[in-house]
Structure formats: C-alpha cells, structure tokens
Amino acid sequence: DGRRTVWSRTAGASPSAVAATFPWLLHNGTPETWLPLEMPRDILYDGARVAALLDIRQMIGSRAEPQEQLTHILMDHDLHQTRGDYLIPGADSPLWQTLPVSDRLRRSIAQRVHRIPYEALSQRISWSGDSEIWVGHHKITVRTRDVQVLDSRWVLNPKDERKPLEIARLLSLYSVFDNPLSNR
C-alpha cells in the first residue's frame, strides 16, 4: 500500500535488553496475543505497577544507595498522609526527592510513574514454567517453596482457575522490594 516504516531493530535484539543494567532480569520472549478482558482489572493494574517499579530499578542502575532508598520509599510511603496509590508514591510525591539520583533521572522516574494507569492493558502477569513469572518484559524468578506455601494457604476452592494467577500476582508484588544488587 506504499506505507513505509521508519523504525528498525537489529535482528534478535530487544530494545530494552540492549541498554539494561540488569539484563538477566528481562526475558526475551515473543509477546503473545492475549485478551485483557480475561484478566481481572485489579491484576492488570498490579501488573502495570510492578512493571513500572522494575523499570525504575533498571533506570537507577547499579548504584546501591538509590536502590536501597527506593526499597525504603516503597515500604514506608503508605505511612505518609498522602492520597494515591497503595504501592507507589504519586509522580509528584516529595518522597521521590529523597532518592539520591540526578534531577534528570528523577524526572524520568516521575514520567514512568505517571504512565502506570495507561499501561494496565499492556503489562501482563503470566507464568513461564514453574519458577518464573513474566510481568511485561521483566522476569521474576521465584522459589518453589514460596509457591508451595502460597498454594497451601489458598482458602478458596483448590481447583479455582484464578489460583495460579493470584500466586503469580502476589509473588510479583513482593518482588518489587528486592534490591537487584543484593544477590551480588
């Protein structure tokens, strides 16, 4: 039809993996077609939150102090008297000012936080095997024991089709508190 694209990519290279600080935390899977209507809305939004926080960890990079401070911000922000998201301070929250990063990076983080509601349909939470969860382009390795414990504590029907997704959701939410530098 005569249309041409101006975008190109090196064969086999994922744009996010090329400049990633922690490339082992990204998966190289091919995006699959899926219907977001098949997934509960709260899980869609949690996927967007988790993907944003893992993106922010990649943006901060391999500096230990800002990574630790991000963990503290996430653990403590709900204690402050600000309205907004239960997991992530708002883009204009003064808590981001406590992060020891450049002003440019702080603005990039604020922009990423601001995009969360708009990305709820694109940051899918899914299992890849028995010990890996994919959230957007991120991969989260989980311990078999953690999955078994959550499976044993499930109080609804053991055959409930939501159970694997809810386990993946909970484990991915907890993963945002993990400092990627703590495994060095």
Side-chain angles (χ1 to χ4, degrees):
D1 65 7
R3 288 183 284 174
R4 293 182 5 193
T5 181
V6 295
W7 304 105
S8 66
R9 180 183 333 177
T10 305
S14 164
S16 57
V18 172
T21 303
F22 309 110
W24 60 90
L25 297 177
L26 303 176
H27 70 78
N28 293 321
T30 306
E32 298 175 7
T33 303
W34 67 291
L35 297 173
L37 297 177
E38 295 173 351
M39 191 172 293
R41 185 179 201 143
D42 56 331
I43 294 178
L44 291 171
Y45 281 98
D46 281 344
R49 289 178 183 100
V50 169
L53 288 170
L54 296 177
D55 283 346
I56 291 169
R57 289 224 183 256
Q58 290 280 353
M59 292 162 63
I60 290 172
S62 60
R63 294 182 46 222
E65 185 181 352
Q67 291 287 0
E68 267 313 301
Q69 183 61 25
L70 176 60
T71 300
H72 290 291
I73 287 170
L74 296 175
M75 287 191 302
D76 297 339
H77 110 82
D78 63 331
L79 302 175
H80 295 271
Q81 297 296 326
T82 58
R83 293 178 36 177
D85 193 273
Y86 72 93
L87 185 61
I88 306 173
D92 56 350
S93 171
L95 290 173
W96 294 116
Q97 298 302 317
T98 66
L99 204 57
V101 297
S102 68
D103 288 337
R104 180 175 173 257
L105 181 53
R106 197 173 288 114
R107 283 190 302 274
S108 294
I109 290 170
Q111 289 170 350
R112 183 63 187 94
V113 169
H114 190 304
R115 289 194 333 250
I116 292 171
Y118 306 107
E119 295 187 356
L121 300 179
S122 65
Q123 306 296 336
R124 178 182 183 188
I125 297 176
S126 63
W127 283 98
S128 177
D130 294 333
S131 63
E132 196 171 273
I133 300 166
W134 288 2
V135 182
H137 64 272
H138 299 278
K139 68 179 176 182
I140 301 163
T141 303
V142 296
R143 294 186 305 229
T144 304
R145 180 71 182 132
D146 292 338
V147 176
Q148 290 170 344
V149 166
L150 291 174
D151 185 60
S152 71
R153 292 182 180 174
W154 183 258
V155 295
L156 300 177
N157 181 346
K159 302 285 186 207
D160 190 328
E161 64 185 31
R162 295 174 301 174
K163 185 165 113 175
L165 182 59
E166 291 291 352
I167 290 173
R169 169 197 197 174
L170 186 60
L171 291 172
S172 66
L173 284 167
Y174 274 111
S175 77
V176 301
F177 297 108
D178 293 337
N179 182 336
L181 300 175
S182 63
N183 293 330
R184 282 188 179 194

